[in-house]
Amino acid sequence: MTKEHIVYLALGANLGDRRRAIRQAIVRIAEQIGPVERQSSLYETQPWGFSSPHAFINACICCRTTMSPIQVLRATQRIEKEMGRVEKTHDEVYQDRCIDIDILLFDHLNIQTPELTIPHPLMHEREFVMVPLREILKEGE
């Protein structure tokens, strides 16, 4: 039997129909990664780490998956690309984005590779992540 994992993802969008982009990303995650167990409210926040006149819509979700962490990373990158995302940064500066999906937590794993760090290394500095994450975290997780 294949082991199921619990993964928490942060989603953000500040270009186009932001709420629709978040909803569409959640549908794609459910189809390509696994069933979405919990979903936070949508939060409107100001850009973090760069200047932009475009506010973000942010949310967090929890889903079950049989994929490995690296497979989840590849799937989220594919979903971002399918939805029109080009690059996360330009000259190491964050950019406006139609969708952003970050892995926050994966079971109770600690992973640190050049490609993937879990738990997400900056999540505790970002209220736009922590507020929706706290909303959906189960006691004891």
Side-chain angles (χ1 to χ4, degrees):
M1 184 170 157
T2 307
K3 181 171 175 21
E4 280 199 333
H5 306 282
I6 299 294
V7 62
Y8 286 87
L9 302 170
L11 296 89
N14 78 328
L15 293 177
D17 187 338
R18 302 165 301 160
R19 292 175 190 280
R20 183 175 181 271
I22 298 293
R23 287 192 303 269
Q24 184 180 14
I26 291 169
V27 167
R28 289 177 185 225
I29 288 164
E31 292 169 351
Q32 297 180 37
I33 296 173
V36 174
E37 301 269 303
R38 293 187 296 284
Q39 175 182 334
S40 75
S41 304
L42 300 180
Y43 293 86
E44 188 167 49
T45 63
Q46 293 306 305
W48 184 93
F50 73 106
S51 264
S52 173
H54 308 290
F56 275 85
I57 294 294
N58 294 101
C60 286
I61 63 171
C62 171
C63 67
R64 283 184 289 119
T65 187
T66 57
M67 300 169 97
S68 71
I70 200 70
Q71 288 172 318
V72 172
L73 176 64
R74 299 263 187 276
T76 60
Q77 291 170 335
R78 183 176 58 249
I79 292 166
E80 289 175 336
K81 191 171 281 192
E82 288 169 359
M83 291 181 64
R85 179 79 186 263
V86 279
E87 58 184 340
K88 288 194 180 252
T89 61
H90 182 73
D91 292 332
E92 297 186 18
V93 175
Y94 291 120
Q95 303 291 309
D96 290 322
R97 58 207 67 162
C98 58
I99 191 66
D100 184 40
I101 306 169
D102 288 332
I103 301 171
L104 301 175
L105 302 165
F106 191 103
D107 290 341
H108 295 286
L109 295 179
N110 286 291
I111 298 170
Q112 191 157 5
T113 69
E115 193 171 21
L116 180 61
T117 303
I118 297 174
H120 191 288
L122 299 174
M123 69 183 198
H124 294 291
E125 297 176 22
R126 300 172 171 179
E127 280 300 301
F128 65 88
V129 170
M130 295 308 297
V131 170
L133 180 61
R134 282 188 206 105
E135 183 185 331
I136 63 168
L137 271 174
K138 280 187 171 175
E139 288 297 316
E141 283 192 44

